[in-house]
Amino acid sequence: MSKKEILDWINTNEGIFTDIAKNIWENPQLAYDEDYASQLQIDTLEKENFHIQPNIGGIPTAFVAEYGNGSPIIGILGEFDALPGLSQTVSPTREEIVADGPGHGCGHHLLGTAGVEAVIALKEYMKKENIKGTVRYYGCPAEEVLSGKTYMAREGVFDDLDCCLTWHPGTSNFTVNQSMQAMVSIEFEFTGITAHAAAAPHAGRSALDAVELMNVGTNYMREHVLDGSRIHYVITNGGLAPNVVPDQAKVWYYLRAATKEQVNDMLKRVKKIADGAVLMTETEVKSTILAFAYETLPNETLNDIMYENMMQSEISFTKEEETFATQLLKSINPEIVKMSKKQLHDQTDDLLPTHMANNKQLLGSSVGGSTDVGDVSWITPTGMVMTTCAPVGVQAHTWQATSSYGSSIGYKGMHLAAKTMALTLYDLFSNEELVAKAKEEFKQSTTGKPYIAGIPDDVNPPVKKKVDPVFASMK
């Protein structure tokens, strides 16, 4: 079975996977609650004789699907969680399906489905050619809250991989040679003493005062962090009524930086600021780490192979799709569209670029945003591409992204990603020297830097209750 036959198989069967992705898009669910998508993918893979290992790390929607036996063991990462408040029809104007409902504004219905498509296509090759080795698909929940893969990594399910591949929907076709930032998600809960705010304010100790003083201190810290670092926070509990001194208050922080070590340094300083707020207000504080993702570690060897395989396929758009893209961009500030083009060094002026770029000039640089793919990339060599699933100027985590990712534009980008990953799997199973080269590069990059899960062992996945939409926020 040749690469052409793999591409022909995907072309023949792409309708099946378009329907799977469309079903997930129509049934969006938030982090740790992705029952529909997880079960649909499990059912699809079981029918193709993949062995399913469910409930990874105590997460009902996390699973591993495996076909074959022996080495090499190569994985594909898939995701399927949606975002709150991004319900949207496939329309160039704002039209919610469910008021304030969730939607796939990050394209994870495409991301996971392309992985399923790729491993099944590769399975056909392994079966026909009697190829030894093991291919795995990882059903990874809760990427939007940057913790699903960390819990899975803590369980050790990535430890025996020889290498791994993944992708993400975007506005151009390229290999991801830039690193995404490390990030910690942490909640600080202050406890004080309640009192009547008018009759006996002296008797109270305000937890909200502590939160606000902590935020002031952290804002002064912004001047004294490394370039590119980010600090975001929201007050998730500020009290119940103005005339009651709040005895409970919470603030939720994201801290980002180029490396996990830099994030750790910021975290130590922010905790000291919280302790200072406690001293000033005579309150108490406890903190809980909700997520702690590593920066991504690109693997140039794998990315080069993925680039060459992306070149084996074509993606083009119809006049109707070009018209849809033009109309969709009318809902976005033209300056934002213009800036989006400038931010991509290899970008053209096309609304829907189809060129390929491997971005070698960006190798080693860091970009904003984070992903728990970073954890996996510090355990095993990991390659990643992005494909055109939306017009240039559309930002992820917006209703415009939900609309485009649910359109034929998104599905075309998904199939390109599936083909790229399937052909790369073919190369890795056919040439052990490629796997060895990727592993050697990984070894050189990680020597003396063992992976240690950032989420403490005593913190469990939040799966016993429905996830509050505020928790499933934009990453």
Side-chain angles (χ1 to χ4, degrees), residues 410-440:
Y411 298 127
K412 285 184 176 180
M414 178 187 79
H415 295 307
L416 175 61
K419 291 173 182 178
T420 301
M421 292 188 292
L423 295 185
T424 303
L425 288 171
Y426 176 99
D427 286 335
L428 295 172
F429 278 103
S430 304
N431 188 344
E432 61 183 21
E433 292 182 2
L434 294 177
V435 176
K437 184 179 178 183
K439 293 174 74 172
E440 179 59 28

Side-chain angles (χ1 to χ4, degrees), residues 66-114:
E66 180 177 283
Y67 181 87
N69 57 78
S71 296
I73 305 174
I74 303 172
I76 296 285
L77 302 179
E79 300 160 11
F80 34 61
D81 57 330
L83 286 158
L86 292 182
S87 177
Q88 170 65 27
T89 63
V90 178
S91 169
T93 58
R94 184 66 163 122
E95 295 178 5
E96 291 180 291
I97 298 173
V98 178
D100 299 320
H104 277 285
C106 207
H108 290 182
H109 65 299
L110 304 173
L111 199 162
T113 304

Side-chain angles (χ1 to χ4, degrees), residues 183-188 214 218 221 225 231 253-257 260-275 287-289 291-292 454 456:
M183 191 282 291
V184 64
S185 169
I186 183 169
E187 185 178 65
F188 292 88
M214 177 186 176
T218 305
M221 174 182 150
V225 297
I231 303 170
Y253 273 77
Y254 274 15
L255 307 175
R256 304 182 199 256
K260 186 170 181 285
E261 290 78 15
Q262 293 174 18
V263 171
N264 262 323
D265 179 66
M266 292 171 65
L267 180 59
K268 290 175 183 177
R269 296 170 67 190
V270 169
K271 284 184 174 181
K272 289 178 181 178
I273 292 172
D275 291 339
S287 61
T288 304
I289 291 178
F292 203 150

Side-chain angles (χ1 to χ4, degrees), residues 30-215:
L30 300 179
Y32 295 109
D33 195 31
E34 317 95 329
D35 303 312
Y36 184 89
S38 177
Q39 193 59 55
L40 179 58
Q41 292 188 0
I42 287 173
D43 291 344
T44 301
L45 290 159
E46 278 187 324
K47 290 179 182 177
E48 297 293 335
N49 298 314
F50 279 74
H51 171 73
I52 307 297
Q53 183 183 353
N55 198 38
I56 302 298
I59 306 172
T61 54
F63 69 92
V64 178
E66 180 177 283
Y67 181 87
N69 57 78
S71 296
I73 305 174
I74 303 172
I76 296 285
L77 302 179
E79 300 160 11
F80 34 61
D81 57 330
L83 286 158
L86 292 182
S87 177
Q88 170 65 27
T89 63
V90 178
S91 169
T93 58
R94 184 66 163 122
E95 295 178 5
E96 291 180 291
I97 298 173
V98 178
D100 299 320
H104 277 285
C106 207
H108 290 182
H109 65 299
L110 304 173
L111 199 162
T113 304
V116 173
E117 187 174 8
V119 297
I120 293 176
L122 196 279
K123 182 217 78 169
E124 294 297 319
Y125 158 68
M126 295 176 72
K127 181 179 178 181
K128 183 175 181 179
E129 303 295 336
N130 195 28
I131 299 298
K132 292 183 179 179
T134 305
V135 63
R136 288 183 187 155
Y137 172 79
Y138 289 86
C140 304
E143 192 278 338
E144 296 297 355
V145 293
L146 295 165
S147 54
K149 294 183 191 68
T150 307
Y151 286 116
M152 295 175 75
R154 208 172 67 177
E155 195 78 1
V157 295
F158 304 112
D159 290 354
D160 61 346
L161 281 176
D162 288 292
C163 51
C164 194
L165 308 174
T166 191
W167 78 290
H168 202 286
T171 59
S172 185
N173 305 315
F174 61 95
T175 58
V176 184
N177 287 324
Q178 292 174 288
S179 176
M180 299 184 72
Q181 293 177 309
M183 191 282 291
V184 64
S185 169
I186 183 169
E187 185 178 65
F188 292 88
E189 181 177 1
F190 291 85
T191 301
I193 301 173
T194 189
H196 193 295
H202 59 281
R205 297 294 183 267
S206 173
L208 178 59
D209 285 354
V211 164
E212 292 189 302
L213 285 166
M214 177 186 176
N215 293 343

Side-chain angles (χ1 to χ4, degrees), residues 179-183 228-230 256-257 294-295 366-371:
S179 176
M180 299 184 72
Q181 293 177 309
M183 191 282 291
S229 300
R230 296 288 186 268
R256 304 182 199 256
Y294 277 61
E295 73 273 19
S366 180
V367 295
S370 309
T371 175

Side-chain angles (χ1 to χ4, degrees), residues 402-467:
T402 305
S403 178
S404 187
Y405 294 158
S407 73
S408 57
I409 296 170
Y411 298 127
K412 285 184 176 180
M414 178 187 79
H415 295 307
L416 175 61
K419 291 173 182 178
T420 301
M421 292 188 292
L423 295 185
T424 303
L425 288 171
Y426 176 99
D427 286 335
L428 295 172
F429 278 103
S430 304
N431 188 344
E432 61 183 21
E433 292 182 2
L434 294 177
V435 176
K437 184 179 178 183
K439 293 174 74 172
E440 179 59 28
E441 178 187 338
F442 175 80
K443 180 181 178 181
Q444 294 294 325
S445 300
T446 59
T447 298
K449 301 177 181 179
Y451 173 80
I452 301 173
I455 299 177
D457 290 342
D458 60 352
V459 176
N460 296 316
V463 297
K464 292 184 179 180
K465 59 181 180 180
K466 297 293 183 180
V467 177

